[in-house]
Amino acid sequence: GSEAQRYPAILRALRKAEPTSTRRKRRGLRGEHLRKAWEASSSLRARTATAANRIAAVSTAWQALARAGEVAPGAAGWDPARHPTRADLEHQGKGEGAHYVLWHRPLKKRTCEKVPIIFARGDGGGADTYDMLRRLEKYDPVQRKERGRTPLFRGASGRAMHKQEFNPLVHTLSKHVYNTIILST
């Protein structure tokens, strides 16, 4: 009982006691990182279904603060009842009021209740999730009747983008951006 409660406190104290110079610095992905990667990478800007899916998946996960498993299924495989489909993505409004609504399924909720996440129009740069979702629908269109059976993001194979493809993509993007920032300063 009480030992289990003390364990987290002991771990925090040990982390604080460790000199900061030996601790690995964690840097979160930021909007400026996505913009710089977008500007620097012609493969992300390519007018292909694969490129559109990749940048839209990373941008959506970043903007929605989504876990990898909420964007891309794991080894168990894709299931339209548990994972996002194109039917979960809706374009609404016109002109300046245009936006996307993603009916998101949080992993940590016990029910499969969907939560709406809204992506408003931005500047069209690499951190503009609205623009990335627009590109996704343009370069990887799905017929209305197939949207409920089609993964929201597809990998290079044309099937659901899995965490095994998504995670290295985020790491590669982060390393590229981090190296660009370090080398340019």
Side-chain angles (χ1 to χ4, degrees), residues 29 34 56-68 70-71 84 89 100-107 115-119 127-130 133 152-153 166:
L29 194 60
L34 289 172
V58 172
S59 182
T60 300
W62 169 74
Q63 189 76 40
L65 301 174
R67 294 167 176 81
E70 294 169 343
V71 174
L89 182 66
Y100 277 100
V101 176
L102 175 63
W103 291 94
H104 179 69
R105 296 175 174 106
L107 278 176
V115 178
I117 298 179
I118 298 170
F119 302 103
D128 182 356
T129 303
Y130 173 91
L133 292 170
L152 178 58
F153 303 114
F166 178 79

Side-chain angles (χ1 to χ4, degrees), residues 10-29:
I10 292 169
L11 287 176
R12 279 193 300 276
L14 287 171
R15 279 191 209 110
K16 285 182 181 178
E18 184 182 345
T20 56
S21 62
T22 64
R23 288 182 12 197
R24 184 175 154 243
K25 291 189 179 189
R26 301 181 97 200
R27 292 178 169 81
L29 194 60

Side-chain angles (χ1 to χ4, degrees), residues 12-173:
R12 279 193 300 276
L14 287 171
R15 279 191 209 110
K16 285 182 181 178
E18 184 182 345
T20 56
S21 62
T22 64
R23 288 182 12 197
R24 184 175 154 243
K25 291 189 179 189
R26 301 181 97 200
R27 292 178 169 81
L29 194 60
R30 294 185 173 90
E32 78 177 72
H33 297 151
L34 289 172
R35 275 190 283 285
K36 286 183 180 188
W38 177 253
E39 292 165 4
S41 175
S42 60
S43 65
L44 286 177
R45 292 190 317 272
R47 294 178 172 145
T48 65
T50 299
N53 275 278
R54 286 179 175 167
I55 191 65
V58 172
S59 182
T60 300
W62 169 74
Q63 189 76 40
L65 301 174
R67 294 167 176 81
E70 294 169 343
V71 174
W78 183 77
D79 177 2
R82 296 180 325 142
H83 299 103
T85 68
R86 287 288 176 91
D88 294 324
L89 182 66
E90 301 171 3
H91 186 269
Q92 297 179 353
K94 294 184 189 237
E96 293 297 315
H99 61 278
Y100 277 100
V101 176
L102 175 63
W103 291 94
H104 179 69
R105 296 175 174 106
L107 278 176
K108 298 241 175 169
K109 283 199 167 199
R110 293 181 189 255
T111 65
C112 283
E113 198 172 313
K114 297 177 188 178
V115 178
I117 298 179
I118 298 170
F119 302 103
R121 286 181 103 157
D123 62 2
D128 182 356
T129 303
Y130 173 91
D131 190 53
M132 298 309 153
L133 292 170
R134 185 185 57 75
R135 287 176 50 81
L136 174 69
E137 291 199 312
K138 179 178 181 179
Y139 296 116
D140 189 15
V142 176
Q143 292 179 2
R144 182 173 289 289
K145 65 182 178 178
E146 297 295 319
R147 290 177 72 85
R149 296 188 300 257
T150 304
L152 178 58
F153 303 114
R154 297 193 267 192
S157 67
R159 295 191 199 125
M161 180 182 292
H162 287 271
K163 286 193 312 189
Q164 294 84 349
E165 185 176 354
F166 178 79
N167 286 339
L169 177 63
V170 172
H171 290 290
T172 300
L173 178 81

